[in-house]
Amino acid sequence: GSNPVFPSIHFINPYAYTYNHFKINVAQKKLYFDMLVTRRILPILQVLVKLNIIRRFYFLHTTSSFEKRVRIFPFYNKLQTITSNISLHFRKAHPITIKLQALKLLNKTMGGSALILNTSQGLLTHREALLQGVGGVLIYTVY
C-alpha cells in the first residue's frame, strides 16, 4: 500500500537515492544492504558493477508486484575500506552537460578516475561515451 508519510519511489531522484543508500551503508561498513529498485535505478547499479564500486547485486523475492528490492554488495579491500570514492553531480536545475569535444579534453587528465554520464545511449562511463561518440549530463565522478 501507499504510505502518506513517505513519497512514492517514482518521484525521487534515482541518482541521489542510489548515491545516498550507497554512502550511508558503506560508512557503516555493511557487507551488504537492501534497497528499492526501479527501471531507472537498475542501469546505475550495472555501471557501478562495471567500475568495481559494487561487487554484485541480486533481486530479492518480494510479495508485492509493485516493489522490487535488490541486495547490494559493495566492493571492499582487505582492510574493509571502500576502494573508490564517488561524488554525485546531478541536479535537475542547470545540469552539467559535457559535450563530446570537452569529454575528449577531460579524458587526457582523468587518470584512473571515471565520469558517469547520462547520454542518449543510456548511462555510460566517459570512456564508453567516447567510444560511442556522444556527450551527456554528468551524474557521478568516481575517483
Side-chain angles (χ1 to χ4, degrees), residues 92-127:
K92 286 188 176 172
H94 314 296
I96 303 166
T97 304
I98 303 177
K99 292 187 165 75
L100 181 60
Q101 197 59 38
L103 211 51
K104 288 176 183 173
L105 291 170
L106 273 171
N107 189 43
K108 294 179 176 159
T109 60
M110 290 295 294
S113 300
L115 302 176
I116 299 175
L117 305 166
N118 189 1
T119 69
S120 57
Q121 308 296 312
L123 219 55
L124 302 174
T125 66
H126 74 279
R127 290 173 187 86

Side-chain angles (χ1 to χ4, degrees), residues 60-87:
L60 297 170
H61 295 289
T62 54
T63 51
S64 166
S65 60
F66 298 106
E67 188 181 283
K68 300 278 186 252
R69 295 184 83 76
V70 288
R71 179 154 291 166
I72 297 169
F73 295 82
F75 192 89
Y76 292 102
N77 66 14
K78 280 186 246 176
L79 302 171
Q80 282 297 305
T81 55
I82 194 75
T83 52
S84 299
N85 209 336
I86 185 168
S87 297

Side-chain angles (χ1 to χ4, degrees), residues 6-134:
F6 296 106
S8 169
I9 187 92
H10 302 289
F11 300 122
I12 60 160
N13 174 341
Y15 306 117
Y17 176 79
T18 306
Y19 174 80
N20 291 334
H21 263 73
F22 179 78
K23 288 298 243 187
I24 289 166
N25 287 289
V26 164
Q28 295 173 358
K29 293 187 171 20
K30 292 189 177 175
L31 293 176
Y32 64 86
F33 60 94
D34 300 343
M35 68 179 240
L36 289 172
V37 70
T38 64
R39 62 183 172 74
R40 292 185 60 207
I41 289 173
L42 195 57
I44 300 168
L45 297 179
Q46 290 165 335
V47 170
L48 294 179
V49 166
K50 242 187 286 185
L51 292 172
N52 288 328
I53 305 297
I54 57 179
R55 278 187 299 140
R56 63 190 173 98
F57 67 90
Y58 61 84
F59 285 90
L60 297 170
H61 295 289
T62 54
T63 51
S64 166
S65 60
F66 298 106
E67 188 181 283
K68 300 278 186 252
R69 295 184 83 76
V70 288
R71 179 154 291 166
I72 297 169
F73 295 82
F75 192 89
Y76 292 102
N77 66 14
K78 280 186 246 176
L79 302 171
Q80 282 297 305
T81 55
I82 194 75
T83 52
S84 299
N85 209 336
I86 185 168
S87 297
L88 176 69
H89 298 287
F90 180 78
R91 52 188 189 239
K92 286 188 176 172
H94 314 296
I96 303 166
T97 304
I98 303 177
K99 292 187 165 75
L100 181 60
Q101 197 59 38
L103 211 51
K104 288 176 183 173
L105 291 170
L106 273 171
N107 189 43
K108 294 179 176 159
T109 60
M110 290 295 294
S113 300
L115 302 176
I116 299 175
L117 305 166
N118 189 1
T119 69
S120 57
Q121 308 296 312
L123 219 55
L124 302 174
T125 66
H126 74 279
R127 290 173 187 86
E128 292 169 327
L130 284 168
L131 290 172
Q132 302 258 354
V134 294

